């Protein structure tokens, strides 16, 4: 954790006409269960590509991360979408990271692994989000062949409070190192957490200690 900006994770917010904001927890589960999440993700990728394209084209080291749900892995539609949106655009395929969330259990592990491999062949990197809290646990990490594991905020919050959480973090760091995967800490909010994570070999983190969730225009200012 050097302070160098490495990219951003794309989040969606529902802003109502009166200016109030609806929490994602209020609509994302329904979007996933209904299948609307597929159209939402596609539209979000196109909008992000348009907004940050020039800035990312000039900075090939930056990454942009999108969350995917189990619903995205029921067919090869996500492969077609990624190829169409990022195949010839200013945001390179090599700049895209796709994060598999585990709010819904994966229906077919073998098919999901094949789709992940196909996406990786395009140059996209794959991550498992919220590691340690989802449906699958470490067995999925081993079987899916992802590139990055992301430590859930729950374990970061417990640093200095719960010794078992620190032990879990150290175990995940060892696992990532042995499997040649990158590791990212989520929900980092204090400098003390940054120091603890850095001392344990974690070199990438995200959270409010670095920046709050920002609209696209503000993120572009941060890049500059």
């Amino acid at each position: 954790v050097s302070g160098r900006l490495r990219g951003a994770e794309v989040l969606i917010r529902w802003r109502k006409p009166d200016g109030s904001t609806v929490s994602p927890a209020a609509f994302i589960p329904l979007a996933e269960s209904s299948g609307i999440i597929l159209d939402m993700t596609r539209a979000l990728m196109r909008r992000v590509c348009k907004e940050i394209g020039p800035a990312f084209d000039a900075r090939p080291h930056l990454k942009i991360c999108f969350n995917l749900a189990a619903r995205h892995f029921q067919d090869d539609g996500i492969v077609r979408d990624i190829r169409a949106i990022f195949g010839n655009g200013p945001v390179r395929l090599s700049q895209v990271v796709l994060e598999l969330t585990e709010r819904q259990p994966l229906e077919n592990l073998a098919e999901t692994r094949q789709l992940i491999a196909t996406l990786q062949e395009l140059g996209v990197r794959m991550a498992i989000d919220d590691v340690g809290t989802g449906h699958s646990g470490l067995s999925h990490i081993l079987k899916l062949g992802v590139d990055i594991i992301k430590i859930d905020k729950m374990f970061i919050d417990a640093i200095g409070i719960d010794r078992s959480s620190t032990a879990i973090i150290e175990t995940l760091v060892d696992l990532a190192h042995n499997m040649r995967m990158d590791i990212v800490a989520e929900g980092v909010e204090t400098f003390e957490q940054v120091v603890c994570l850095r001392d344990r070999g974690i070199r990438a983190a995200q959270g409010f200690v670095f920046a709050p969730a920002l609209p696209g225009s503000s993120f572009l200012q941060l890049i500059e």
Side-chain angles (χ1 to χ4, degrees):
V1 184
S2 64
R4 182 187 184 197
L5 180 65
R6 299 180 59 165
E9 176 180 349
V10 176
L11 305 172
I12 191 167
R13 295 291 185 266
W14 180 358
R15 192 177 301 279
K16 300 174 77 173
D18 63 3
S20 62
T21 302
V22 180
S23 167
F27 63 88
I28 290 296
L30 178 59
E32 290 182 356
S33 62
S34 66
I36 295 174
I37 193 69
L38 303 178
D39 288 330
M40 288 174 62
T41 302
R42 196 177 297 118
L44 194 63
M45 286 179 172
R46 289 196 177 107
R47 177 171 176 175
V48 168
C49 195
K50 181 178 179 180
E51 285 190 8
I52 69 168
F56 268 56
D57 187 31
R59 299 169 178 84
H61 66 282
L62 291 180
K63 306 289 185 184
I64 191 73
C65 309
F66 297 91
N67 288 296
L68 300 183
R71 192 82 179 225
H72 285 97
F73 292 89
Q74 291 183 350
D75 57 45
D76 64 353
I78 185 61
V79 176
R80 295 195 302 271
D81 288 343
I82 292 295
R83 187 182 286 117
I85 296 170
F86 299 103
N88 297 303
V91 178
R92 300 164 176 82
L93 286 162
S94 60
Q95 293 177 287
V96 176
V97 178
L98 301 177
E99 301 183 13
L100 175 56
T101 61
E102 297 185 285
R103 283 182 292 270
Q104 303 281 336
L106 296 171
E107 293 185 2
N108 190 311
L109 196 61
E111 288 184 6
T112 300
R113 179 169 184 168
Q114 181 56 53
L115 285 170
I116 286 175
T118 302
L119 289 164
Q120 289 169 324
E121 289 171 1
L122 294 177
V124 169
R125 303 193 77 206
M126 298 295 305
I128 287 191
D129 203 10
D130 304 328
V131 167
T133 63
H135 289 275
S136 59
L138 298 183
S139 62
H140 272 50
I141 299 173
L142 297 172
K143 293 175 182 177
L144 292 175
V146 298
D147 306 292
I148 304 163
I149 58 177
K150 303 190 74 175
I151 304 176
D152 187 76
K153 183 181 187 299
M154 177 179 72
F155 301 112
I156 309 303
D157 288 342
I159 289 176
I161 301 171
D162 183 355
R163 291 178 61 186
S164 63
S165 288
T166 302
I168 289 171
I169 291 171
E170 292 173 348
T171 299
L172 291 173
V173 171
D174 288 341
L175 175 69
H177 177 74
N178 292 332
M179 297 187 67
R180 298 182 180 179
M181 296 187 299
D182 289 332
I183 188 165
V184 179
E186 297 185 284
V188 182
E189 296 183 350
T190 70
F191 182 71
E192 289 75 19
Q193 291 172 342
V194 172
V195 172
C196 179
L197 294 167
R198 187 170 55 195
D199 288 346
R200 283 158 179 78
I202 294 179
R203 295 290 176 263
Q206 64 185 73
F208 274 43
V209 72
F210 306 110
L214 299 170
S217 57
S218 298
F219 174 63
L220 288 174
Q221 291 179 355
L222 182 64
I223 291 177
E224 295 294 339

